[in-house]
Amino acid sequence: MKNIAVIGAGTMGNGIAHTFAQFNYKVHLIDVSQEALDKGMATISKNLDRMVAKEKIAEADKIQTLANISTFTSIKNATQNVDLVVEAATENLALKSKIFKELDEVCNENTILATNTSSISITQIAAVTNRPEKVIGMHFMNPVPIMKLVEIIRGYNTSNKVTNTIVDLSKKVNKIPVEVNDYPGFVANRILMPMINESIETLYNQVAGVKEIDTVMMLGMAHPMGPLQLADFIGLDVCLSILNVMHDGFKNPKYAPCPLLVNMVMAGKLGVKSGEGFYDYSESKKAETVAKMFR
């Protein structure tokens, strides 16, 4: 496996492209606009600069990594003769289904199709293709170049050969693959999102403030960041989407998103990417100032 296409130049997509390129795979990075691609490449370059500054890689490694990435605005043009496609588009079933249907039509019959979905059924995505045995989940963690875990999710029809290939590939890019079964939220988000949601409920019920909730979890449970800060980092819209997938999938009220989370997303308060969530990021990307509505 030498040639890999990545769909989506956002946070997860550019991180996945960076990771494969750094290990000398030829990567085709795809997005709908050149502007999104340029932004994604700028992020990769900035992250590589940070690694050079910390002496984790040499300047020559940065140059080679960037040279390994080509950008495309056409799925058809970018996926000719690739061995693997990793889709990292928005967490939306309709969009992912549309992408996988197109991939199935334009890719070589031997191409493996992977999705970086964090909660949506692999089996459901695979069902729109004529190659369900070659569809698999590769759920990377953010930030991708740093985080070691990759959840490997088999769909109902995913073959052993494809699973073993993806497990081996994950190890080759210095990740630790963990196989999990295809249920809403898989393992990472099935456990994480209810914790984040309960933290938002705790704030909503005025048990404690933003800083206090995060401080308790950091100092009491040894979490590297508090759950509300983490929610801002992930994106409150993403958190809501994952909770909705689990709520719909399990029909269990414990996964119902907190009304405060729903209202914040409707109001466009999405966290770091919108400049405000539980914290105010207008002056710093660090969670230093609690958002005005929670002071």
Side-chain angles (χ1 to χ4, degrees), residues 26-271:
K26 299 301 180 185
V27 179
H28 292 177
L29 182 59
I30 310 161
D31 211 306
V32 292
S33 73
Q34 191 60 48
E35 181 183 359
L37 289 166
D38 291 343
K39 185 177 179 181
M41 290 301 296
T43 298
I44 294 171
S45 183
K46 181 179 177 181
N47 289 337
L48 287 166
D49 283 336
R50 190 176 292 116
M51 295 175 79
V52 171
K54 292 181 178 180
E55 298 184 346
K56 291 186 176 181
I57 62 171
E59 182 68 25
D61 297 322
K62 173 197 169 181
I63 293 169
Q64 184 59 56
T65 298
L66 292 173
N68 285 335
I69 305 173
S70 303
T71 59
F72 295 81
T73 54
S74 163
I75 288 179
K76 183 176 181 180
N77 293 340
T79 55
Q80 301 301 305
N81 302 315
V82 298
D83 304 299
L84 168 69
V85 180
V86 181
E87 170 271 319
T90 304
E91 193 74 348
N92 177 282
L93 176 60
L95 175 61
K96 290 183 187 294
S97 296
K98 179 182 177 183
I99 290 170
F100 271 77
K101 191 171 183 181
E102 182 177 355
L103 288 172
D104 188 48
E105 293 169 354
V106 301
C107 290
N108 182 291
E109 62 180 11
N110 295 317
T111 302
I112 296 172
L113 307 181
T115 173
N116 182 58
T117 180
S118 55
S119 61
I120 298 172
S121 167
I122 308 304
T123 302
Q124 193 170 5
I125 292 172
V128 304
T129 76
N130 292 308
R131 63 179 87 191
E133 74 286 351
K134 293 186 176 71
V135 178
I136 193 165
M138 285 187 85
H139 179 208
F140 291 85
M141 303 295 128
N142 184 28
V144 181
I146 296 171
M147 298 292 278
K148 291 288 188 182
L149 175 66
V150 181
E151 274 189 307
I152 306 296
I153 310 103
R154 298 176 64 136
Y156 189 83
N157 293 299
T158 308
S159 72
N160 289 334
K161 181 180 178 182
V162 165
T163 302
N164 292 336
T165 297
I166 296 303
V167 166
D168 289 343
L169 174 66
S170 300
K171 292 176 181 177
K172 287 176 181 175
V173 294
N174 202 26
K175 299 301 182 189
I176 299 173
V178 177
E179 290 185 56
V180 305
N181 291 321
D182 188 19
Y183 292 96
F186 315 131
V187 171
N189 282 320
R190 184 169 178 171
I191 295 170
L192 174 63
M193 286 302 154
M195 183 193 75
I196 286 176
N197 196 45
E198 192 63 30
S199 301
I200 299 171
E201 285 278 3
T202 303
L203 177 65
Y204 181 56
N205 292 326
Q206 300 182 329
V207 177
V210 171
K211 280 273 192 183
E212 289 75 15
I213 291 168
D214 278 354
T215 300
V216 166
M217 295 305 290
M218 286 189 289
L219 298 184
M221 314 310 171
H223 291 192
M225 69 171 70
L228 299 176
Q229 181 187 356
L230 179 56
D232 277 354
F233 180 70
I234 294 168
L236 301 191
D237 53 337
V238 175
C239 294
L240 178 60
S241 175
I242 295 169
L243 283 164
N244 281 332
V245 167
M246 293 196 295
H247 190 223
D248 291 343
F250 291 117
K251 310 300 182 190
N252 189 323
K254 75 177 182 179
Y255 298 113
C258 176
L260 174 59
L261 174 61
V262 175
N263 282 344
M264 289 179 71
V265 172
M266 286 194 297
K269 308 299 184 182
L270 308 181

